[in-house]
Amino acid sequence: MKVLGINGDYPQDWVRVFNHITNLFFEDSKVSKTEKDTDLNVYFEWHIDADHTVTTTAELHSDGKTYKSKFVQEYTNEANEKEQNIRLKRALSHVLLDTLEKLTGIHQKWGILTGIRPTKLYHKFRKSGLTDLEIHTKLKEEFRLSDEKITLMKKIVDRQLTTIPDLDTIGNEVSIYIGIPFCPTKCAYCTFPAYAIHRKNGRVESFLDGLHIEIREMGKWLKKRDMKITSIYWGGGTPTSIEADEMDALYQTMYESFPHAESIREVTVEAGRPDTITPAKLEVLKKWGIDRISVNPQSYTDETLKAIGRHHTVQETIDKFWLSRNMGMNNINMDLIIGLPNEGLEEFENSLAETEKMQPESLTVHTLSFKRASEMTHNKQKYKVADRETAEKMMHRAHEWTADNNYEPYYLYRQKNILGNLENVGYSKKGEESIYNIVIMEEVQTIIGLGCGASSKFVNAETGKITQFHNPKDPAAYIMTFEDAIDKKLEILDELYKEETELI
Ligand code: SF4
């Protein structure tokens, strides 16, 4: 544990930001407001000139050495209190990051950006009227982003606007997420609502009964408002872990309940675990015209799959991919994870070589992140994972390989405690991008969550303000409370659409 002393009584939101920045350099670190028992000490100074220029300096002391940094940012306008706070936080982050880079020799390509949606920031600047060049300069100078990351963001933003030309006005439609909280077994890195499916006690049946009701009730509201649905995403858990006839009944309820079924742009069903895919379930998907699924290998090394508790083999992934393809699934996504236990460049090259034979329509390359609630994080010492440099090399290979195989990046997000401070990137062949992944990542429209662990995000199309609501993660709690969850969501929707009507 590295402790950074910041010597002073700073506002809590600044301390949180300093903590995020320090965490980028040390696996385990915390910020203390005193000099006592600290490994590093930083002293900040700042002032704001009459012409609004913000100047910050930092002096970092460690092991008898001093690292200094100064940052000057000019602004053309005076800021209100909130904006001033943001400007100062940003400028202090700048000098803190710089001194930590000097101390450790680690260059942070994402600069001071620690948020999970970098491209949302790009869109924000774009919508404010800045040109690409102005955005590039701003991200580089104010946020210390590398040219490489800015170029990636620009590519993604362009792709998103090609895929959804009405991205800036799509807030007048909604998307739907439906969570099925069961999986054959639980993976070691997982924090999703994924309960091992064993059909005792009627828990699965009771959950499904509740979900049918939730879909119908939400459908009534959507029909009453004559709302259009952009995309529907079945996630979880693994939505194909239930029986074929149960899937069939759910899709029937979905299409009967939701308005304008013919104009829904995309329906995706996560079939993530290959061990859940059967010809009967693929027939059901085909029957309802659903051809976008995910078959997730994560790795093509059997020992890795065993180590992370996936309970299926590499061969099973390959077989189920071809079964899905041959039975008419025309848009298959596959997920790979960089940095799984005991994996280095060699294993990742093998995963890319296997993927090359299948050419799925999209490939999402995740970087392992240590989520607080996962088994892997609780027993970190059990798992040996790649170092920062190797993880970076793997990500670099992913960029190269996808370009060579005609994939383009179209969405991106970052997570806390992500290996090597890297990112997760969704690539696809041209025209095969997932609309849902774009709208959820850029938070451009309301996403109504149904089922277990489903988060709803209600986005006010005028102000961008987001209200969240979370359905219970646990099926037992869902069964008890789903009716309250429906009422609460309808209440928020009524309020949101009343507000929006009033604003027009
Ligand atoms: S398949 Fe996905 S949802 Fe299920 S346990 Fe594994 S990571 Fe979690």
Side-chain angles (χ1 to χ4, degrees), residues 305-421:
L305 296 179
K306 223 179 274 164
I308 59 174
R310 274 187 72 93
H311 291 252
H312 64 82
T313 60
V314 167
Q315 193 53 47
E316 200 165 4
T317 307
I318 298 169
D319 292 345
K320 293 299 171 63
F321 173 88
W322 288 113
L323 176 71
S324 307
R325 174 67 91 225
N326 294 333
M327 285 189 64
M329 295 297 122
N330 293 320
N331 191 343
I332 303 179
N333 173 70
M334 297 186 113
D335 280 1
L336 291 179
I337 302 178
I338 283 177
L340 285 174
N342 304 318
E343 291 218 339
L345 255 179
E346 195 184 320
E347 288 76 15
F348 191 61
E349 285 294 351
N350 175 50
S351 291
L352 294 175
E354 288 298 333
T355 311
E356 192 154 340
K357 296 178 200 160
M358 288 175 269
Q359 299 285 330
E361 280 65 30
S362 56
L363 179 74
T364 311
V365 181
H366 296 267
T367 307
L368 185 70
S369 77
F370 287 92
K371 296 175 196 157
R372 241 188 298 158
S374 74
E375 198 278 331
M376 197 173 269
T377 306
H378 288 159
N379 297 297
K380 227 171 172 180
Q381 67 296 344
K382 242 172 71 188
Y383 300 95
K384 188 174 165 290
V385 300
D387 57 22
R388 171 185 287 267
E389 209 180 309
T390 312
E392 262 191 37
K393 279 186 188 154
M394 291 195 254
M395 183 52 89
H396 184 68
R397 269 302 289 145
H399 289 317
E400 275 179 355
W401 181 91
T402 46
D404 290 347
N405 283 272
N406 301 319
Y407 292 88
E408 291 195 16
Y410 78 97
Y411 82 103
L412 132 78
Y413 68 102
R414 303 174 66 225
Q415 280 165 298
K416 270 203 198 130
N417 302 325
I418 196 164
L419 200 62
N421 190 25

Side-chain angles (χ1 to χ4, degrees), residues 182-183 185-187 189-194 236-238 272-273 298 310:
F182 303 110
C183 282
T185 53
K186 182 110 178 168
C187 305
Y189 53 86
C190 180
T191 51
F192 296 114
T238 306
R273 286 280 287 259
Q298 317 298 21
R310 274 187 72 93

